[in-house]
Amino acid sequence: FFFNEAKREKMVLKTAILAALAASAAAFAPAPSTKASVALNAEMSKSIPFLPRPEKLDGSMAGDMGFDPMGLSEIQQDLKYARWAELKHGRISMLAITGMVVQESGFHIPGAQFTSTDPFEAVSKVGYVGNLQILLTIGVIELATISKIYGEGEPGDICWAFGSLDNMSA
């Protein structure tokens, strides 16, 4: 059984390609599992029924339906702190959007530095001292409420009484 040189080279090339394909297919073969799957024994999430309910999301917090597809509750040691942060950032975002809409509507504080209707240009137009004043106010509020965040306070309640908003929590 003799082949000419061209056919022999083709056959060697085809054999090498076939061997490479077989080796790469073996890399994707499932590994044998020696332990039982935890997901089969876990309680399933109410919000995403095909995912197991995260251990820390047991329904004890308001609105907790086990929604944590990224597994952030696994890395967060204190979910109370995470709830504080979520409420605070949500409130800051609502205030920021309201401020941007008011700024663009043309309503502003008297003064030449406050006349810009572009909210991004307004930051530079106010200047260093104006921005420093805003950052210092935020810092004072953070320092005044830090004991509530890390202490026994209810998330979202910073104990500021504002008439009808008194005794309201998240």
Side-chain angles (χ1 to χ4, degrees):
F1 219 26
F2 293 101
F3 296 107
N4 65 18
E5 194 63 33
K7 284 187 177 181
R8 184 169 181 238
E9 285 179 9
K10 252 186 189 179
M11 182 180 270
V12 169
L13 182 64
K14 286 181 182 179
T15 306
I17 290 174
L18 186 63
L21 285 174
S24 65
F28 294 103
S33 178
T34 57
K35 61 180 184 177
S37 174
V38 177
L40 295 176
N41 300 328
E43 181 182 337
M44 302 310 276
S45 170
K46 290 180 185 176
S47 62
I48 308 175
F50 54 87
L51 291 179
R53 179 186 56 81
E55 184 180 325
K56 292 181 182 175
L57 299 180
D58 56 2
S60 61
M61 290 190 199
D64 177 14
M65 301 296 280
F67 183 77
D68 189 16
M70 290 177 51
L72 296 176
S73 65
E74 302 291 328
I75 59 173
Q76 188 71 35
Q77 291 189 5
D78 185 14
L79 289 184
K80 183 177 165 187
Y81 173 77
R83 189 169 175 210
W84 263 104
E86 184 178 10
L87 288 169
K88 180 171 54 174
H89 293 135
R91 290 172 179 173
I92 290 170
S93 299
M94 289 185 276
L95 285 172
I97 292 297
T98 303
M100 289 176 73
V101 169
V102 168
Q103 181 78 13
E104 287 183 352
S105 72
F107 180 77
H108 55 84
I109 299 171
Q113 69 269 31
F114 304 116
T115 58
S116 176
T117 57
D118 179 16
F120 301 107
E121 179 189 4
V123 173
S124 62
K125 203 167 183 186
V126 169
Y128 176 74
V129 176
N131 288 316
L132 184 64
Q133 183 181 11
I134 292 169
L135 289 175
L136 284 175
T137 304
I138 292 169
V140 167
I141 292 170
E142 286 293 314
L143 286 174
T145 60
I146 198 162
S147 65
K148 292 287 182 187
I149 294 172
Y150 292 105
E152 292 299 319
E154 180 68 26
D157 181 19
I158 55 175
C159 295
W160 289 357
F162 289 112
S164 62
L165 296 178
D166 194 16
N167 297 326
M168 289 185 72
S169 61

